[in-house]
């Protein structure tokens, strides 16, 4: 499309380029041609900050249409405490192209709109690929027919050539992370993925290209330095991470603009911090959301769900939340209550509240087509549902039968949907669980040409699909914030980059299989690297039948996952902790209790995430990105930067090969001292998950409680480990936004080999009743 570079011009922090050969080759907006700006006219490179550069070619003539980046980078009106400044330092041209410098990055733009990036020492970070792409040998039509007869599918060639495309070079040592909740392993190199929110309940394996979420953000760790690319295109996009050819990767899209943000850094933490600054950081949640959640699709009556709450108390299992799946609704109609089987919703929710248990209700986007159903009638009267190209309201089938789909890209629809949450708020519901919002449908997928709204203009489903769940989450979050004044608890199945500003998430309909327990660790870690820090899996698995051993090992992983929810599908084995016998119940109680002890530490990590973007659950490579032994480590993770968890994820295993990075560590259970940069075998009977704590660490704890509201600020325990260390502890009311106006405390804690000094740094909230220092078992060795 772009050929020889002819010249450039500078406007502020933007550099525009003129090329020979504009408007040649494929036209990526053939479906929606425009006259406002001819395709390929004056592509642009813009300095967003000293370490972030945007590369943009306005193929559709509409400029940036991002839903992930919701502050105007061009005007730089981010007034938060995380605001950054970026300045284009110099622009020059020579035979290699146009060189653009910031304090931290250099971009060189040449012929064919190829852009190379270097760090401030002139070392290459990412270069445009200039070689020949590889193609798998073609398969004859006869062989394709044979493959089809035996049930095999093959495209014949894996060469992806897209209307919107970027091909970039890979070095031998490059490792690739991120990309949201994709299947497989931590390092995504040599795999190919699609960004197209997909509801596929089959057991997901490594070869799945798409799941429920589309977060088109990748991080590349190099031998020296790191970088990220956020490919901000809402349509169906493709990430070939070196599968087609070892020497390059391909970013492609079927339509939209070439619009990506290059983020350079010395390490992965720099890249994560800048990406979350760009797209928004996950805000603090209410403290109770970090407790244990119990759920099932199949609690069909009020008596049954009351029995779950009573079972939690009977078996002395702390619990802060029970989730109501679709059975609570009248004929699966959103914002209704099934008074036949669930009777008085307000009463059951109030009784749960008296037990210290919150209620979270599921909500789907599909609105039942039914005369006199108020949600349907209001939406029809105001034109709030998606339409066919001919202007008729589009109808498909979901749980309630024939259903229509709110047009969440329309600000008026989002406001209306937010106001509809009042029905749940008035019942006493504490949070909302958005499901089926890819959007899923039973009579085939929504056609690409179904008409939605993109803020101020019509847009086809092909361009709105990946941000449908994002817009629904935004509507829900803003509605709950306005109605309650509290921090909204919104869970989503589908989302896009930047959704972390509005919602937590879970990995969707997994299965009760060991492969999915193993996959949970890299999946959640990559979600955290992709900005979605507050995430979890369905503990025990959603589909299939969980075994006692699998449940025991999964609850050990769930204990350290940000969102800790046991959830299963109708028709599968009952999966509450007491369903597996006394041994598994005891193990479940042990790790749910441990979760409640660790609540202040996990809450500190949530605060750190809002401030810096660092995820709560982290791959080891985020903390130790110079250690070759952790770049492909899939079966261990960090909770913050002080606790390392090495769970058993293999059936029948009663020992674990553990690797500890550099430094001195202590076994959480025994206090044994272990020097890092070493591997060893740890005995791991069914009730033991290997856990290690850094030397000098301070771990804030609470006494075990049945729910977080029980004596929340009465006692803070500071568990300390041998060595020197400093820790900052954060405290607020755990409910609303008072902390934005200074309503919080911070404590600086110095550990001098067991001698502890606590200083309050900020005083804006009530004090603890007591702060108690306890030496860990490591001091007894």
């Amino acid at each position: 499309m772009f050929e020889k570079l002819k010249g450039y011009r500078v406007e502020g922090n933007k550099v525009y380029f003129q090329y020979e050969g504009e408007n040649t080759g494929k036209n990526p907006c053939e479906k929606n041609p425009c006259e406002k700006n001819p395709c390929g006219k004056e592509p642009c490179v813009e300095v967003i900050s000293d370490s972030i550069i945007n590369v943009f070619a306005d193929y559709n003539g509409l400029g940036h249409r991002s839903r992930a980046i919701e502050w105007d980078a061009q005007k730089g009106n981010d007034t938060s405490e995380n605001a950054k400044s970026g300045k284009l330092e110099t622009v020059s041209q020579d035979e290699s192209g146009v060189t653009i410098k910031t304090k931290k990055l250099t971009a060189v733009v040449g012929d064919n709109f190829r852009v190379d990036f270097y760090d401030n020492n002139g070392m290459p970070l990412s270069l445009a690929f200039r070689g020949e792409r590889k193609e798998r040998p073609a398969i004859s039509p006869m062989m394709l027919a044979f493959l089809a007869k035996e049930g095999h599918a093959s495209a014949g060639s894996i060469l992806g050539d897209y209307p919107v495309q970027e091909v970039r070079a890979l070095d031998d040592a490059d490792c690739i992370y991120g990309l949201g909740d994709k299947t497989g392993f931590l390092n995504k190199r040599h795999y190919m993925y699609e960004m197209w929110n997909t509801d596929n309940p089959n057991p997901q394996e490594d070869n799945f290209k798409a799941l429920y979420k589309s977060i088109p953000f990748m991080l590349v760790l190099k031998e020296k330095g790191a970088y990220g690319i956020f490919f901000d295109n809402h349509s169906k996009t493709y990430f070939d991470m070196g599968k087609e050819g070892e020497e390059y990767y391909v970013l492609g899209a079927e339509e939209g603009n070439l619009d990506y943000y290059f983020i350079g850094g010395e390490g992965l933490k720099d890249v994560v911090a800048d990406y979350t600054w760009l797209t928004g950081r996950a805000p603090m949640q209410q403290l109770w959301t970090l407790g244990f959640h119990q759920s099932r699709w199949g609690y069909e009556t009020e008596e049954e769900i009351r029995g779950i709450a009573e079972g939690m108390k009977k078996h002395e299992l702390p619990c802060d939340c029970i989730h109501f799946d679709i059975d609570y609704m009248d004929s699966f109609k959103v914002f209704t209550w099934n008074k036949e089987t669930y009777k008085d919703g307000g009463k059951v929710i109030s009784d749960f509240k008296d037990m210290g248990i919150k209620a979270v209700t599921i909500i789907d986007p599909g609105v039942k087509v039914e005369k006199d159903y108020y949600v349907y009638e209001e939406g029809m009267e105001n034109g709030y549902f998606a339409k066919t190209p001919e202007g008729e309201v589009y109808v498909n089938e979901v749980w309630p039968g024939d259903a229509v789909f709110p047009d969440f890209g329309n600000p008026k629809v989002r406001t209306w949907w937010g106001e509809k949450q009042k029905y749940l708020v008035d019942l006493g519901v504490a949070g909302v669980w958005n499901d089926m919002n890819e959007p899923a449908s039973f009579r085939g997928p929504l056609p690409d040409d179904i008409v939605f709204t993109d803020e101020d203009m019509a847009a086809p489903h092909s361009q709105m699909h990946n941000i449908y769940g994002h817009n629904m989450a935004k509507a829900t979050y803003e509605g709950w914030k306005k109605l309650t004044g509290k921090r909204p608890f919104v869970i989503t199945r589908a989302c896009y980059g930047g959704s972390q500003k509005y919602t937590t998430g879970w990995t969707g309909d997994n299965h009760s299989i060991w492969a999915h327990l193993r996959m949970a660790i890299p999946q959640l870690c990559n979600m955290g690297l992709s900005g979605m820090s507050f995430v979890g899996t369905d503990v025990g698995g959603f589909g299939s039948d969980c075994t006692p051993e699998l449940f025991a090992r999964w609850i050990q992983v769930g204990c350290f996952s940000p969102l800790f929810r046991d959830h299963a599908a109708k028709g599968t084995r009952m999966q509450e902790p007491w369903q597996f016998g006394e041994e598994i119940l005891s193990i479940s109680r042990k790790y749910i209790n441990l979760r409640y002890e660790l609540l202040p530490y996990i809450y500190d990590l949530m605060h750190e995430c809002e401030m810096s973007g660092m995820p709560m659950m982290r791959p080891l490579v985020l903390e130790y990105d110079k250690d070759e032994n952790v770049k492909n480590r899939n079966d261990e993770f960090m909770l913050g930067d002080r606790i390392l968890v090495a769970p058993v994820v293999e059936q029948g295993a009663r020992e674990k090969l553990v690797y500890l990075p550099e430094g001195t560590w202590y076994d959480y259970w025994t206090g044994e001292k272990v020097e890092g940069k070493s591997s060893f075998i740890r005995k791991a009977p069914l009730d033991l998950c290997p856990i290690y704590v850094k030397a000098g660490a301070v771990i804030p704890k609470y006494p075990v409680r049945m729910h977080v509201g029980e004596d929340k600020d009465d006692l803070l325990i500071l568990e300390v480990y041998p060595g020197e260390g400093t820790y900052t502890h954060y405290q607020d009311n755990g409910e609303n936004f008072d902390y934005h106006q200074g309503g919080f405390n911070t404590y600086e804690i110095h550990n001098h080999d067991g001698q502890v000094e606590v200083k309050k740094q900020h005083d804006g909230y009530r004090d603890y009743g007591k702060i108690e220092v306890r030496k860990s078992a490591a001091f007894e060795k």
Side-chain angles (χ1 to χ4, degrees), residues 463-534:
Q463 296 175 13
M464 299 301 293
H465 177 88
N466 281 343
I467 56 173
Y468 191 80
H470 173 93
N471 282 328
M472 183 183 183
K474 182 178 181 180
T476 307
Y477 180 92
E478 291 177 343
W480 275 78
K481 185 175 181 180
K482 182 176 180 181
L483 288 166
T484 69
K486 294 183 178 180
R487 308 169 198 171
F489 180 56
V490 182
I491 315 176
T492 192
R493 191 168 76 176
C495 73
Y496 184 73
S499 293
Q500 66 270 7
K501 296 185 291 292
Y502 308 115
T503 182
T504 179
W506 90 108
T507 57
D509 296 344
N510 60 359
H511 280 254
S512 300
I513 56 178
W514 287 91
H516 280 191
L517 173 59
R518 289 192 296 270
M519 190 171 72
I521 296 171
Q523 198 172 20
L524 294 178
C525 285
N526 272 321
M527 284 286 285
L529 294 177
S530 305
M532 291 286 291
S533 176
F534 191 21

Side-chain angles (χ1 to χ4, degrees), residues 276-556:
T276 54
W277 169 80
L278 183 70
T279 61
R281 289 176 177 156
M284 296 286 288
Q285 295 279 338
Q286 295 184 61
L287 180 60
W288 67 263
T289 66
L290 293 174
F292 181 69
H293 300 233
Q294 182 61 53
S295 180
R296 181 178 177 84
W297 172 31
Y299 297 147
E300 295 187 348
T301 66
E302 178 186 322
E303 289 76 18
E304 188 171 359
I305 207 164
R306 283 183 180 275
I308 300 303
E310 290 162 3
M312 301 302 294
K313 301 303 180 185
K314 173 185 175 182
H315 297 291
E316 298 181 321
L317 294 168
C319 179
D320 266 275
C321 183
I322 291 177
H323 292 233
F324 289 65
D325 212 311
I326 58 176
D327 298 300
Y328 83 89
M329 291 184 274
D330 175 17
S331 303
F332 307 131
K333 292 183 290 187
V334 294
F335 306 116
T336 67
W337 196 268
N338 187 340
K339 295 180 180 178
E340 199 170 305
T341 57
Y342 267 81
K343 303 175 185 175
D344 186 344
K347 182 67 166 60
V348 66
I349 291 171
S350 175
D351 289 347
F352 278 10
K353 186 177 180 179
D354 290 343
M355 301 169 72
I357 295 174
K358 307 289 193 300
V360 166
T361 50
I362 200 168
I363 287 288
D364 298 337
V367 174
K368 183 176 178 60
V369 175
E370 180 178 278
K371 192 176 186 307
D372 296 329
Y373 167 39
Y374 77 107
V375 181
Y376 173 72
E377 294 287 4
E378 286 179 19
M380 289 294 291
E381 181 181 348
N382 291 286
Y384 285 165
F385 301 122
K387 297 179 175 60
T388 67
E390 295 74 31
E392 300 294 322
V393 172
Y394 175 75
V395 180
N396 203 311
E397 182 185 359
V398 203
W399 295 116
D402 281 355
V404 292
F405 298 84
D407 182 6
F408 292 120
N410 183 339
K412 292 181 180 178
V413 176
R414 290 200 299 272
T415 298
W416 170 71
W417 194 260
E419 292 168 348
K420 291 275 98 42
Q421 310 296 318
K422 188 175 187 299
Y423 176 83
L424 302 174
V425 171
D426 289 348
L427 282 171
V429 172
V432 171
W433 164 21
N434 287 342
D435 197 19
M436 304 290 285
N437 56 346
E438 290 74 32
S441 51
F442 295 166
R443 290 200 294 263
L446 277 64
D448 284 351
D449 61 356
I450 295 303
V451 181
F452 288 86
T453 303
D454 185 10
E455 300 302 314
D456 57 356
M457 59 179 285
H461 174 238
S462 61
Q463 296 175 13
M464 299 301 293
H465 177 88
N466 281 343
I467 56 173
Y468 191 80
H470 173 93
N471 282 328
M472 183 183 183
K474 182 178 181 180
T476 307
Y477 180 92
E478 291 177 343
W480 275 78
K481 185 175 181 180
K482 182 176 180 181
L483 288 166
T484 69
K486 294 183 178 180
R487 308 169 198 171
F489 180 56
V490 182
I491 315 176
T492 192
R493 191 168 76 176
C495 73
Y496 184 73
S499 293
Q500 66 270 7
K501 296 185 291 292
Y502 308 115
T503 182
T504 179
W506 90 108
T507 57
D509 296 344
N510 60 359
H511 280 254
S512 300
I513 56 178
W514 287 91
H516 280 191
L517 173 59
R518 289 192 296 270
M519 190 171 72
I521 296 171
Q523 198 172 20
L524 294 178
C525 285
N526 272 321
M527 284 286 285
L529 294 177
S530 305
M532 291 286 291
S533 176
F534 191 21
V535 287
T537 62
D538 286 340
V539 168
F542 177 73
S544 307
D545 292 320
C546 193
T547 67
E549 182 186 5
L550 177 59
F551 189 83
R553 293 306 192 188
W554 211 317
I555 208 155
Q556 291 166 15

Side-chain angles (χ1 to χ4, degrees), residues 641-642 664 666 693-699 718-729 747-759 779:
D641 64 356
R642 289 164 171 80
T664 300
Y666 292 93
V693 183
K694 267 186 177 180
V698 176
I699 306 296
L718 300 178
E719 184 175 271
V720 297
Y721 287 77
E724 300 288 324
T726 300
Y727 182 84
T728 300
H729 173 59
Y747 304 84
E748 187 176 272
I749 304 164
H750 297 277
N751 173 22
H752 306 285
D753 204 28
Q755 300 299 312
V756 175
E757 180 183 11
V758 180
K759 292 182 179 179
F779 283 96

